[in-house]
């Protein structure tokens, strides 16, 4: 076996070495990579030189591909989403702490993001362990949240009425299909991770809209407190991309945040989202 796994940060993430996806990944190596993904929540590989076909082939070893309805697809590859920012464009994609696709009843298990072109400086992505966020809650909060469920939605984020500040309308052409933003879902606030069995906090600022049985206004203060808690620095790791880097993250274990700090530079990523499953509570409802 040629894979080596080195923890990236104290709470989350690992660097994988000894893998060349273009050359092919044997079953034993793939099992080690998958185990690192389960253990660390997000894994990083550098120096990959892959075609879109190889990206798809690698993704299909993890799960079925879940085609994102709102992102612009890569030309000729409808199953790869393009995460692009041109010099001068103001808005980037994914610049708040969030969990991809939590508005789906069976939220995506994760994403495989591949860097095709990156800024000389800036454009990092941050990841926050939601296992660590759960563990740091008080016993009283764990007990209370363990009985709660929350509604998530895509409508306010991607729908026709989504608010796009006038200075960032340049997102047009990169995000689309507002008529498809009809998904709402209900998930436990504390999930039992489908692979590790560990408890994780599962609310996020982009898509969670209220607690079940609570109004949005009643939900807002506690949600805001949980969002701030979920991204405390000690739960995070900040990944600096190079051309050819890849991150594979687990949406049930981490949140992520793409930092928008490269106004005059180009950044182009290819993202494949992996199909997930419905989520169970860690403590029975
Ligand atoms: C995303 O939220 O999927 C984009 C992450 C990134 O561009 O770093």
């Amino acid at each position: 076996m040629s894979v080596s796994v080195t923890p990236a940060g104290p709470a989350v993430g690992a660097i994988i070495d000894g893998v060349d996806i273009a050359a092919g990944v044997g079953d034993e190596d793939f099992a080690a990579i998958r185990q690192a993904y389960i253990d660390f929540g997000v894994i990083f590989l550098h120096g990959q030189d892959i075609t879109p076909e190889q990206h798809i082939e690698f993704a299909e070893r993890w799960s079925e591909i879940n085609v994102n309805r709102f992102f612009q697809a890569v030309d000729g590859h409808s199953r790869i989403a393009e995460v692009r920012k041109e010099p001068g464009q103001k808005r980037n994609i994914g610049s708040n702490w969030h969990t991809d696709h939590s508005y789906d009843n069976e939220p995506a298990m994760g994403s495989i993001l591949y860097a095709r072109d990156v800024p000389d400086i800036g454009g990092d992505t941050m990841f926050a362990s939601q296992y660590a966020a759960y563990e740091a809650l008080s016993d009283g909060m764990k007990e209370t949240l363990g009985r709660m469920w929350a509604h998530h939605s895509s409508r306010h984020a991607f729908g026709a009425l989504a608010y796009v500040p006038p200075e960032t309308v340049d997102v047009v052409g990169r995000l689309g299909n507002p008529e498809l933003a009809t998904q709402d879902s209900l998930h436990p606030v504390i999930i039992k991770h489908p692979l590790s069995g560990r408890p994780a906090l599962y609310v996020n600022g982009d898509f969670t809209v209220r607690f079940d049985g609570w109004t949005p206004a009643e939900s807002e203060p506690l949600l805001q407190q949980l969002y701030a808690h979920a991204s405390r620095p000690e739960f995070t790791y900040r990944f600096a991309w190079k051309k050819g880097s890849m991150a594979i993250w687990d949406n049930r274990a981490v949140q992520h945040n793409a930092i928008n700090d490269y106004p005059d530079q180009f950044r182009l990523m290819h993202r494949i989202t992996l199909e997930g499953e419905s989520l169970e509570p860690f403590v029975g409802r």
Side-chain angles (χ1 to χ4, degrees), residues 71 83 93-94 98 100 113 125 241 249 256 258 267 269 271:
F71 287 23
V83 180
I93 292 172
H98 67 285
D100 297 332
L113 189 69
T125 306
W241 296 90
W249 65 81
H256 59 284
R267 184 176 185 270
M269 319 292 276
R271 192 180 101 177

Side-chain angles (χ1 to χ4, degrees), residues 134 146 188 190-193 197-200 280-284:
Y134 172 80
I190 307 298
I191 59 165
K192 177 178 174 185
H193 191 282
R198 295 171 61 191
E280 301 295 322
F282 182 68
V283 180

Side-chain angles (χ1 to χ4, degrees), residues 31-32 45 69 76 84 100 109 113 117 123 167 182 231 263 272 285:
L45 296 84
R69 312 162 188 78
R84 171 188 287 266
D100 297 332
M109 74 175 263
L113 189 69
D117 210 328
E167 67 279 13
T182 54
S231 58
I272 296 186
R285 198 175 185 195

Side-chain angles (χ1 to χ4, degrees), residues 5 38-40 56 129 167 174 187 200 205 241 257 272 281:
V5 178
I38 296 170
D39 293 343
F40 292 93
I56 291 169
S129 167
E167 67 279 13
R174 291 185 285 161
H187 302 298
W241 296 90
N257 184 341
I272 296 186

